[in-house]
Amino acid sequence: MQEPMQAYLDRLASNSPTPGGGSVAALVGALGAALGSMVANFTVGKEKFAAVEADVQRLLAGCEAAREELSALVQADMAEYGKVSAAYGMPRKTDEEKAARTAAIQQALKDAAQVPLKAVAACHRVLALNRELVDKGNPNLISDAGVSVALALAALECAALNVEINLSYIEDDTHNSEKRAALNPLLGSAALIREEVWDKVKQKMAQ
Amino acid sequence: MQEPMQAYLDRLASNSPTPGGGSVAALVGALGAALGSMVANFTVGKEKFAAVEADVQRLLAGCEAAREELSALVQADMAEYGKVSAAYGMPRKTDEEKAARTAAIQQALKDAAQVPLKAVAACHRVLALNRELVDKGNPNLISDAGVSVALALAALECAALNVEINLSYIEDDTHNSEKRAALNPLLGSAALIREEVWDKVKQKMAQ
């Protein structure tokens, strides 16, 4: 994460294999989490919001933990995708080589699918934290709470799309069913939380 | 844009006045545009896609132009918001000072509203470009086209929310009506394009 934003954007736009959509999804999730932290940081320690101080401290800790995890996933996605590319590059002249290559690809794809799955879970936590922050956070930052949930949902949906594209190459129905069973409830509830918080943001802005 | 991602995230999460939601919206738009460029860059120059070479070159140029504009808006939002903060900090002891401060705040808010408005337009271009890219781009990158549209729409909606929060402080109904008239059609059509492209991505992934 010490890479300048411009360099990351340039690599992303280029035809280099990494970063790709999974890494960007985690980055956008981290940006959403950071905005939740910003709302909390403009609330804590202020006389005016003393009644919710303990709650907002807890929400801040939650946003910061999610941000840290999602920032690590930005790099982890590139590392795992690099391993998938390496497995595809293995020799495939003999039957033994072919079998070893296929096994390595399948294992690398399973490992790689874990990264966006973790990103989905972390983005979901950001959404849930915003459900409280939108009521307890400093109202001067109401639009930032809106941006936080919108980015967290988009990041979650993009991470889920990356899980799906990985699963589409994995020939293990039991594995894939398990992952989809973990994913689908989070996708549904995330969209509902986003709608609820976004509507509340709009209402508060109209007051 | 030479700032490391970690430093930008840290400042975003902190209680420093910038960056805020408007700057992040432009950054996420730039990330969406970069993914469009990535899809195009994995398509151009390949024998297999020779029939659409000229089209994809045009789409690539469009994505790169949008990325450049959105990257510039990441910084411009921070600069304009700094001017709004400075205007709020002006002295307000005498009636003359109060009038000068109010006028300065109103002008700074109008200037600041231009930045997310430009971001909305640029994100809308990214969405429109993806409408073609999803059919003409290298199908191996289909999930990246999906991430590109999802991020472009989220960025557009977040930028529009930042226009709205600015307008809510601007006491000039004619100005505000003009800006809302420019904004609303883009918001509606953007959501439709996102849905259309996202559905196509899901269909192609299921094949």
Side-chain angles (χ1 to χ4, degrees):
Chain A
M1 298 294 280
Q2 292 312 314
E3 187 173 13
M5 283 188 291
Q6 188 63 57
Y8 182 87
L9 278 161
D10 288 344
R11 278 205 298 151
L12 183 62
S14 76
N15 63 353
S16 79
T18 61
S23 172
V24 176
L27 176 57
V28 173
L31 291 166
L35 276 165
S37 296
M38 177 183 164
V39 176
N41 271 321
F42 272 98
T43 312
V44 294
K46 289 195 156 71
E47 186 71 42
K48 203 173 163 186
F49 307 113
V52 290
E53 174 74 17
D55 286 340
V56 180
Q57 285 285 5
R58 175 178 44 80
L59 299 171
L60 175 58
C63 287
E64 286 296 277
R67 177 162 80 96
E68 197 180 332
E69 184 176 357
L70 286 159
S71 297
L73 295 175
V74 173
Q75 308 298 325
D77 189 80
M78 291 191 255
E80 290 299 336
Y81 198 79
K83 291 181 202 165
V84 173
S85 293
Y88 273 105
M90 284 169 69
R92 47 175 166 171
K93 280 180 191 160
T94 67
D95 284 349
E96 285 77 14
E97 282 179 351
K98 280 180 192 165
R101 176 175 174 272
T102 299
I105 290 171
Q106 289 292 309
Q107 188 56 52
L109 286 169
K110 284 183 183 177
D111 293 344
Q114 289 302 317
V115 177
L117 260 175
K118 285 181 193 162
V120 166
C123 289
H124 198 276
R125 295 206 312 274
V126 175
L127 284 155
L129 292 162
N130 266 296
R131 206 175 195 172
E132 269 188 85
L133 257 183
V134 72
D135 287 322
K136 294 177 181 164
N138 186 332
N140 289 341
L141 282 89
I142 192 66
S143 69
D144 297 294
V147 175
S148 178
V149 283
L151 297 187
L153 179 66
L156 184 152
E157 292 182 335
C158 292
L161 197 70
N162 275 275
V163 175
E164 274 299 336
I165 194 93
N166 255 17
L167 297 188
S168 73
Y169 294 109
I170 296 175
E171 288 156 0
D172 178 345
D173 288 344
T174 310
H175 169 275
N176 294 349
S177 300
E178 272 175 27
K179 300 306 169 192
R180 288 198 182 101
L183 203 59
N184 290 338
L186 292 176
L187 267 171
S189 90
L192 292 176
I193 299 174
R194 194 273 199 197
E195 205 180 324
E196 178 193 318
V197 175
W198 187 263
D199 287 351
K200 212 172 254 186
V201 167
K202 292 280 211 169
Q203 275 169 29
K204 287 178 188 256
M205 278 174 57
Q207 274 165 11
Chain B
M1 299 296 279
Q2 290 313 312
E3 187 174 13
M5 282 188 292
Q6 188 63 56
Y8 181 87
L9 278 162
D10 288 344
R11 279 206 296 150
L12 183 61
S14 77
N15 63 352
S16 80
T18 59
S23 171
V24 176
L27 176 56
V28 173
L31 290 165
L35 276 164
S37 296
M38 178 183 163
V39 176
N41 271 321
F42 273 97
T43 312
V44 294
K46 288 195 157 70
E47 186 71 40
K48 203 173 162 186
F49 307 114
V52 291
E53 174 75 19
D55 286 339
V56 180
Q57 285 285 4
R58 174 177 46 78
L59 299 171
L60 174 58
C63 287
E64 286 296 276
R67 176 162 81 97
E68 197 180 333
E69 183 176 358
L70 286 159
S71 297
L73 294 176
V74 174
Q75 309 297 324
D77 189 80
M78 291 192 255
E80 292 299 336
Y81 198 82
K83 290 181 201 164
V84 173
S85 293
Y88 273 105
M90 284 170 70
R92 47 175 166 171
K93 282 179 187 158
T94 68
D95 285 350
E96 285 78 13
E97 281 179 352
K98 280 180 192 167
R101 177 175 173 273
T102 300
I105 290 170
Q106 289 291 310
Q107 189 55 53
L109 286 168
K110 284 183 184 177
D111 293 345
Q114 290 301 319
V115 177
L117 261 173
K118 283 180 195 163
V120 167
C123 288
H124 197 278
R125 295 207 310 275
V126 175
L127 284 155
L129 292 162
N130 266 296
R131 206 175 197 172
E132 270 188 84
L133 257 183
V134 72
D135 288 322
K136 294 176 181 166
N138 185 333
N140 289 342
L141 282 90
I142 192 67
S143 69
D144 297 295
V147 175
S148 179
V149 284
L151 296 186
L153 179 67
L156 184 152
E157 291 182 335
C158 292
L161 197 70
N162 275 276
V163 175
E164 274 299 336
I165 193 93
N166 255 17
L167 298 187
S168 73
Y169 294 109
I170 296 175
E171 288 156 359
D172 180 343
D173 288 345
T174 310
H175 169 274
N176 294 350
S177 300
E178 272 174 27
K179 300 306 168 194
R180 288 197 181 101
L183 203 57
N184 290 338
L186 292 176
L187 267 171
S189 90
L192 292 176
I193 298 173
R194 194 273 199 198
E195 206 181 322
E196 178 193 319
V197 175
W198 187 264
D199 287 350
K200 212 172 254 186
V201 166
K202 291 279 211 169
Q203 276 168 30
K204 287 178 189 256
M205 278 173 56
Q207 274 166 10

